[in-house]
């Protein structure tokens, strides 16, 4: 069960609770008291990482890890594992290009993976950095739906792609995905890609959300 930070219907609560594994994201905004969380997938670079870790920045990776509001969130406390979605080597390679195309994102590739690893050691959680191959797989798949420029796929899509690749026969369900947000992610193309996977029977949505029809632009 992969639960995004968008609205999740009350009717999905029982199925989420009964899943073998529940994955949430960053500050777990769709979490409600008493709900399960096994894995928290985090953006481990740039401003999202700094917001979660507070004073624990890439330049001071071990400072003030435990007192942050993020670290004390019930979903984060309960989770057994933290997934770092942004592969450090892949994002380091983006830095030079972004300096030209998006100079306002000068901290986008700043890596806080060590701080999350230190958090994992301090709290007894397994910290895993996702392989860059998943993002490359998604970039190829997204090309079928859009040629518009974007910076990187969203963390939500990266985690969906990771689980699909690792567990192709699993009963994978998603909830809380509206496919809207930061314009550096190709959300319209992501919605169409997820629709294709749903049509192929590779995953299920637990709620209807506004997505783009596969027929659009075909």
């Amino acid at each position: 069960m992969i639960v995004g930070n968008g609205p999740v219907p009350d009717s999905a609560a029982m199925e989420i609770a009964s899943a073998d594994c529940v994955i949430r994201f960053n500050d777990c905004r769709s979490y409600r008291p008493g709900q399960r969380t096994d894995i928290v997938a985090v953006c481990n670079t740039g401003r999202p990482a700094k917001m979660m870790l507070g004073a624990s920045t890439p330049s001071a990776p071990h400072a003030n890890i435990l007192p942050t509001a993020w670290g004390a969130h019930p979903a984060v406390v309960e989770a057994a594992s933290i997934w770092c979605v942004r592969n450090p080597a892949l994002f380091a390679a983006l830095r030079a290009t972004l300096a030209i195309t998006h100079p306002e994102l000068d901290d986008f590739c700043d890596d806080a993976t060590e701080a999350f690893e230190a958090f994992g050691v301090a709290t007894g959680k397994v910290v895993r950095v996702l392989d860059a191959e998943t993002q490359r797989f998604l970039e190829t798949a997204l090309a079928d739906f859009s040629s518009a420029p974007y910076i990187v796929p969203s963390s939500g899509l990266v985690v969906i792609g990771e689980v699909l690749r690792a567990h192709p026969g699993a009963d994978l369900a998603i909830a809380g995905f509206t496919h809207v947000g930061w314009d550096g992610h190709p959300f319209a193309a992501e919605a169409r890609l997820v629709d294709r996977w749903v049509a192929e029977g590779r995953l299920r949505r637990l709620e209807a959300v506004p997505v783009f029809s596969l027929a659009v632009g075909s």
Side-chain angles (χ1 to χ4, degrees):
M1 183 67 60
I2 302 176
V3 185
N5 282 327
V8 177
D10 293 339
S11 59
M14 185 174 296
E15 187 166 356
I16 293 173
S18 64
D20 294 321
C21 179
V22 178
I23 304 174
R24 300 184 190 273
F25 293 88
N26 293 326
D27 56 359
C28 306
R29 289 193 302 276
S30 62
Y31 172 87
R32 297 295 178 267
Q35 294 182 342
R36 273 187 53 212
T37 306
D38 299 288
I39 298 169
V40 176
V42 299
C43 293
N44 50 302
T45 71
R47 295 165 203 174
K50 292 175 183 177
M51 290 176 63
M52 284 181 277
L53 295 167
S56 297
T57 64
S59 61
H62 303 295
N64 300 330
I65 292 172
L66 293 178
T68 67
W70 173 80
H73 190 291
V76 177
V77 171
E78 180 185 18
S81 182
I82 303 294
W83 283 8
C84 292
V85 173
R86 295 176 170 179
N87 184 273
L90 193 62
F91 274 67
L94 287 174
R95 189 182 292 275
T97 299
L98 289 179
I100 298 171
T101 62
H102 295 80
E104 73 279 9
L105 298 179
D106 58 322
D107 58 352
F108 186 75
C109 299
D110 289 354
D111 181 25
T113 303
E114 286 189 14
F116 284 107
E117 290 173 339
F119 174 80
V121 170
T123 57
K125 302 182 189 300
V126 176
V127 177
R128 178 187 173 208
V129 179
L130 299 192
D131 190 87
E133 191 57 36
T134 292
Q135 182 166 317
R136 296 191 182 102
F137 156 73
L138 292 171
E139 289 169 350
T140 299
L142 287 166
D144 291 342
F145 299 100
S146 175
S147 59
Y150 64 91
I151 297 176
V152 291
S154 69
S155 295
L157 190 73
V158 172
V159 170
I160 292 172
E162 176 72 18
V163 177
L164 282 177
R165 293 179 70 240
H167 307 283
D171 177 15
L172 173 61
I174 65 172
F177 283 83
T178 56
H179 306 292
V180 294
W182 182 52
D183 60 9
H185 299 319
F187 279 119
E190 290 188 10
R192 297 177 67 198
L193 176 58
V194 171
D195 271 354
R196 182 174 73 181
W197 288 334
V198 170
E200 292 171 347
R202 300 180 68 183
L203 59 83
R204 300 181 288 119
R205 291 187 189 273
L206 291 193
E207 81 278 24
V209 296
V211 295
F212 287 75
S213 167
L214 287 174
V216 174
S218 61

